[in-house]
Amino acid sequence: MDMTATGFTFGIYPLRVAGTPFGVADGPADDYARIRSALSDLAGVSSLTPRTYLIYTPSWEERMLDNAEVYADNGLLGDVVIGCGDWTDAVEQELELERWVDFVRTIVRRHGERLSSVQITNEPNLSFMEGSKAYIYDALVRGVVAAKHEVTKLGLSAQVGFGSVPDSQVAVPGYWDTLQNAARPEFLAAVDFVGHNFYVDVFEDGPVALQEIPETVEGILSALRTHLTGLGLPSSVAIRVTENGWPTGTNQYSGRVRSPEEQATVLEAVIRTVYDLRVEYNVSRYVLFGLRDADSGESDIFHQYGIVRDDYTPKPAFTTYQRLIQQLSD
């Protein structure tokens, strides 16, 4: 398999809130001035694209539109993920799908010139997240087509894609086959990239040895490329690593304490492996989750994904990511 990479770039999730298997990890308010300063320090002379989320539900629509304005005002609308929330109580599902599509169009129309990309859905094949919604396939396909239509009509440069997670016990069984049945030529033609969220040595039953990381990462990327080929997407459609991180703190399951020094070491191993495989699997972007801890005062790992603490003081991984961005950006 020999694919042509079109350049390798970096991104980061810059805000405090993190989703967890137990709900939401939250903490002290975001400081946008410090965020901008940290992103500038990380990027140096290279580029670093912020990645933010807008989750649509009928009751959240106005709040999400307001959030988009705040992110835009603070320079954080680079890669935007339009997530598919819960509207299972809606009386008329078809009407709600139309409202979903209108929301997608509205984001592109209002903010398209600021956007590097629009990703429709974040984890549509995760069984306890978007994958739990019966309408997820329609929402994904129609959302991608609508976003691409607006981008093309407005003459924008933003790329359009959708999200995914690796196969696992918590992934939706038969997801890729069902999506293939739901796909149509217009949808396949609209996809510029597929985002993949994965975490090495975070959710496993036991620790992953450092020397095992390259094989683990390659297995994840290889499996996704196989799914995309089966879906009918050509190798020119890029893969993006859209969420990846290694939190510090205490693992609630095992009791293992994960140090900031380990964080820097593991992240470097993962990122260098992704970079080394960028041509073989056409991987165009790596996005770190994330910039800051949700709450550094909470000891569990889900509050401590950041490469800075919640007061924006750096952990060792900040310098590591800064160096990798400047060394590996194409």
Side-chain angles (χ1 to χ4, degrees), residues 5 12 106 115 135 179 187 207 221 237 245 247 257 286 299 302 312-313:
I12 194 165
T106 297
L115 298 178
Y135 46 80
L179 182 58
F187 163 73
L221 295 176
V237 171
V257 178
Y286 172 91
S299 63
F302 296 111
Y312 297 92
T313 57

Side-chain angles (χ1 to χ4, degrees), residues 30-301:
D30 293 305
D31 185 323
Y32 290 105
R34 289 186 174 182
I35 289 171
R36 291 192 297 269
S37 178
L39 297 188
S40 178
D41 288 346
L42 281 170
V45 297
S46 302
S47 63
L48 178 65
T49 305
R51 183 177 192 258
T52 48
Y53 303 79
L54 301 170
I55 311 300
Y56 172 82
T57 72
S59 60
W60 289 3
E61 183 172 4
E62 291 304 317
R63 174 181 161 194
M64 291 298 110
L65 292 174
D66 290 343
N67 283 357
E69 296 292 340
V70 172
Y71 300 156
D73 290 344
N74 287 281
L76 300 181
L77 274 185
D79 294 335
V80 68
V81 181
I82 304 180
C84 186
D86 190 359
W87 59 72
T88 52
D89 292 335
V91 175
E92 180 53 67
Q93 290 291 310
E94 181 61 31
L95 177 61
E96 204 53 60
L97 279 165
E98 289 299 327
R99 289 184 61 183
W100 152 259
V101 169
D102 285 343
F103 180 79
V104 170
R105 291 175 177 143
T106 297
I107 294 299
V108 176
R109 289 169 184 165
R110 291 187 182 181
H111 302 290
E113 292 185 354
R114 300 181 178 92
L115 298 178
S116 172
S117 68
V118 183
Q119 181 178 308
I120 304 300
T121 70
N122 185 40
E123 295 172 332
N125 58 324
L126 190 56
S127 61
F128 58 88
M129 297 295 286
E130 290 168 311
S132 66
K133 318 304 180 188
Y135 46 80
I136 189 61
Y137 299 98
D138 284 339
L140 193 163
V141 170
R142 291 168 66 168
V144 165
V145 170
K148 190 67 170 185
H149 181 267
E150 291 300 317
V151 165
T152 302
K153 182 175 68 174
L154 297 172
L156 303 172
S157 60
Q159 294 195 313
V160 176
F162 65 93
S164 59
V165 300
D167 298 328
S168 72
Q169 291 182 341
V170 294
V172 175
Y175 168 81
W176 292 100
D177 290 337
T178 306
L179 182 58
Q180 182 179 9
N181 291 333
R184 55 184 191 269
E186 186 181 13
F187 163 73
L188 296 174
V191 177
D192 299 310
F193 71 91
V194 176
H196 211 41
N197 296 354
F198 68 87
Y199 296 84
V200 177
D201 190 28
V202 176
F203 298 105
E204 288 83 359
D205 292 334
V208 176
L210 192 64
Q211 63 269 25
E212 296 174 359
I213 285 177
E215 181 180 359
T216 301
V217 172
E218 180 163 17
I220 291 168
L221 295 176
S222 175
L224 176 60
R225 181 55 71 185
T226 298
H227 284 313
L228 300 187
T229 299
L231 187 60
L233 291 172
S235 60
S236 58
V237 171
I239 292 172
R240 293 185 178 186
V241 177
T242 39
E243 276 187 27
N244 176 261
W246 198 91
T248 59
T250 303
N251 187 312
Q252 302 99 305
Y253 303 108
S254 67
R256 174 188 174 194
V257 178
R258 302 154 62 95
S259 73
E261 291 74 22
E262 285 181 285
Q263 182 189 44
T265 299
V266 174
L267 285 179
E268 178 154 14
V270 172
I271 293 167
R272 287 196 177 277
T273 300
V274 171
Y275 181 80
D276 290 344
L277 296 170
R278 72 195 187 284
V279 174
E280 184 173 359
Y281 296 105
N282 189 13
V283 184
S284 63
R285 182 166 294 178
Y286 172 91
V287 182
L288 179 68
F289 192 98
L291 175 63
R292 58 159 284 184
D293 289 347
D295 188 340
S296 302
E298 296 288 340
S299 63
D300 68 273
I301 59 175

